[in-house]
Amino acid sequence: MDKQLKRMATMQRIQTTGLEIFYQKGYHNTSIDDILKELRLSKGAFYYHFQSKEEFFISIVQNLLFRKVYSSLIEPIEGEEDPLNKIAACFDNALETAEHNFLDYGFVLSNFITEFNGKNPDIMNYLQDILKVWEVNLVTALQKGKTDGYVNRHIDSEAVATYLISSYIGIRTLMVEGNGKMLRYKYIQQLRHYFKLIEHKEPA
């Protein structure tokens, strides 16, 4: 049991460091040697856990990256009442975290999607799966909002979800080099204004 726990702890440490380096440098600009140097790990120890750099990256996507996106953008609105306000608050909190990150290189999921698009279908499938879970969560929240009387029942939930994901990825990209605080404030202000247009209104 102790050996199993030690192995899991080692894998967690390797994956966490790997995600940090891949996020900062990009997958293709990162070598196994870069990771080993950062971890002070031997090649034998690395290849005991992973057969290749690609397998290593996929393990990071399936475990750490999914949990990262889920905890910040999916879980906060899952099954909640008043989805429009919950989504706005969720996005605001995620953007505030990014705003105070001095090593911000953009939205990690979209960075990897951009890097692998058209280059590695296998990895792209794993990344797109995360995006799909996020999209389905938003659509489900909006549909529940219609049923519960918070969202206009005539809006296209899938189209709104696509818009929300696209706009979030866009603002995260702008925040890398721009004034994060100002961009976040303006984005959330306009998002709330947009939500006012699609919320359910009682007949006058």
Side-chain angles (χ1 to χ4, degrees), residues 58-70:
I58 289 172
S59 76
I60 289 172
V61 172
Q62 290 180 305
N63 295 295
L64 298 189
L65 185 56
F66 177 80
R67 288 206 306 268
K68 191 179 183 69
V69 174
Y70 180 82

Side-chain angles (χ1 to χ4, degrees), residues 32-51:
I32 294 295
D33 286 338
D34 292 331
I35 297 164
L36 297 180
K37 183 179 178 182
E38 186 70 27
L39 285 164
R40 297 179 183 174
L41 200 68
S42 69
K43 281 193 175 182
F46 178 86
Y47 286 110
Y48 173 76
H49 296 287
F50 307 101
Q51 293 184 354

Side-chain angles (χ1 to χ4, degrees), residues 1-12:
M1 185 64 176
D2 288 343
K3 285 185 177 180
Q4 180 68 12
L5 289 174
K6 187 176 180 181
R7 183 175 183 273
M8 289 172 63
T10 300
M11 284 188 66
Q12 176 75 16

